[in-house]
Amino acid sequence: MLWFLPLISYIILEFIKFNKYYKNVVSICDSLDKKYLLSEIIEEPDFAEGKILYDLLSETNRSMRESINYYKNIQKEYEEYIEMWIHEIKTPIASTLLLIENNIDIMPLGIKEQIKNIENYVEQVLYYSKINDVNKDYIVKSVNLELVVKNVIRKNASDFINKKISINLDDINENVYTDSKWIEFIINQIISNSIKYSVKISPKISINLIKNENNTILTIEDNGVGITDKDIRKVFEKGFTGNNGRKFGRSTGMGLYICKKLCDKLGIGINLISKENEGTKISLAFPYDKNRTLVK
């Protein structure tokens, strides 16, 4: 008894210490969103078995961080190259469009349209590459919606003329707090879709604005082909083209997806209502708070 009692007491005390430590580790792990941070949060134990576990966790975490940094650097280099390439390719595209404008009498009508499609897809790539890092290229300031919309209409003027699309532009002379470049891209994507899926007889696009107590809502509505009930829930999904994308030519299915992602980042509400063969209405809700920051 004299020999076993101290031994048993020691074993019990060690068990209590081990049990308390491991329960604490499990509890911390369960409460963490990022489990890989476990080794940085738990305390280093003072017993041999625990130190072995602690060292293993620290080593695996260090290895994982090195691996993540490696792939982050690869991704960063790729993104930088894509952005550089896009800015470089914009110059020959702009030059080509200018050349077509100066020689419109001898140029086939379809060439300008195809070049503009290329320009639009290039812009999509640029904004898609920045979706997860909007903060680097984002300036919140007072932006006049009328000026932005008119810039977009001017950019698509030839398409409006060629397809004989009428524009009903209400009084939208209102300032909102957002980034002018990003919101112009979003509005341009929406109007480009309205042009692309317009009807042949009396096509029109209506743009109006509603001021509420907490926000300003810009609405862009067309009388185009509309969207089927089965497709409408998926229009903001990545790569979704739907019935219209297949019927009216090749579509990337990225335009509205990028718009939704950017709106989420900028704190702008976006809503789409559509009915097949009747048209589509998209609303953008701008909050009044000029001090709001990007959604993380």
Side-chain angles (χ1 to χ4, degrees), residues 7-175:
L7 180 61
I8 293 171
S9 299
Y10 173 78
I11 292 172
I12 291 173
L13 290 173
E14 287 294 294
F15 174 79
I16 292 172
K17 181 171 65 173
F18 295 170
N19 188 53
K20 181 180 178 181
Y21 178 78
Y22 289 124
K23 275 188 175 180
N24 184 51
V25 170
V26 172
S27 176
I28 292 173
C29 185
D30 290 340
S31 64
L32 285 175
D33 291 331
K34 299 176 180 179
K35 309 294 185 185
Y36 58 84
L37 295 175
L38 179 63
S39 64
E40 298 180 11
I41 296 175
I42 61 175
E43 295 180 1
E44 184 175 357
D46 57 358
F47 53 94
E49 295 86 347
K51 285 184 178 181
I52 293 172
L53 174 64
Y54 180 84
D55 290 341
L56 286 173
L57 286 174
S58 298
E59 183 62 30
T60 53
N61 187 42
R62 190 181 304 110
S63 176
M64 186 203 64
R65 286 201 307 269
E66 290 174 357
S67 181
I68 288 174
N69 288 333
Y70 171 75
Y71 286 107
K72 272 185 177 180
N73 290 332
I74 291 177
Q75 184 179 2
K76 185 179 178 182
E77 289 177 5
Y78 175 75
E79 288 174 355
E80 288 174 351
Y81 171 74
I82 289 295
E83 288 183 27
M84 181 189 68
W85 179 86
I86 290 169
H87 289 299
E88 290 293 330
I89 202 67
K90 278 185 172 184
T91 302
I93 289 174
S95 300
T96 304
L97 285 171
L98 184 62
L99 185 65
I100 292 170
E101 287 288 347
N102 294 335
N103 298 275
I104 196 68
D105 296 334
I106 61 173
M107 290 284 184
L109 293 176
I111 289 182
K112 184 176 180 181
E113 183 180 350
Q114 294 304 320
I115 295 295
K116 288 195 72 177
N117 285 339
I118 293 172
E119 184 180 34
N120 184 50
Y121 289 140
V122 167
E123 270 207 334
Q124 280 189 11
V125 173
L126 175 63
Y127 284 88
Y128 178 71
S129 69
K130 294 182 177 182
I131 279 179
N132 295 319
D133 203 10
V134 182
N135 307 58
K136 290 198 313 184
D137 194 26
Y138 178 84
I139 302 174
V140 175
K141 62 180 181 179
S142 181
V143 177
N144 186 274
L145 285 176
E146 185 176 34
L147 293 178
V148 174
V149 170
K150 285 184 176 179
N151 283 340
V152 173
I153 292 173
R154 198 178 299 114
K155 186 184 293 186
N156 295 280
S158 59
D159 290 327
F160 281 106
I161 295 169
N162 293 335
K163 293 194 173 186
K164 298 179 180 179
I165 300 172
S166 63
I167 306 171
N168 298 328
L169 189 62
D170 289 348
D171 181 15
I172 58 171
N173 186 19
E174 180 70 20
N175 284 11

Side-chain angles (χ1 to χ4, degrees), residues 138-143 177-179 289-294:
Y138 178 84
I139 302 174
V140 175
K141 62 180 181 179
S142 181
V143 177
Y177 287 96
T178 187
D179 181 90
D289 183 11
K290 68 180 179 180
N291 296 315
R292 62 192 170 83
T293 56
L294 281 177

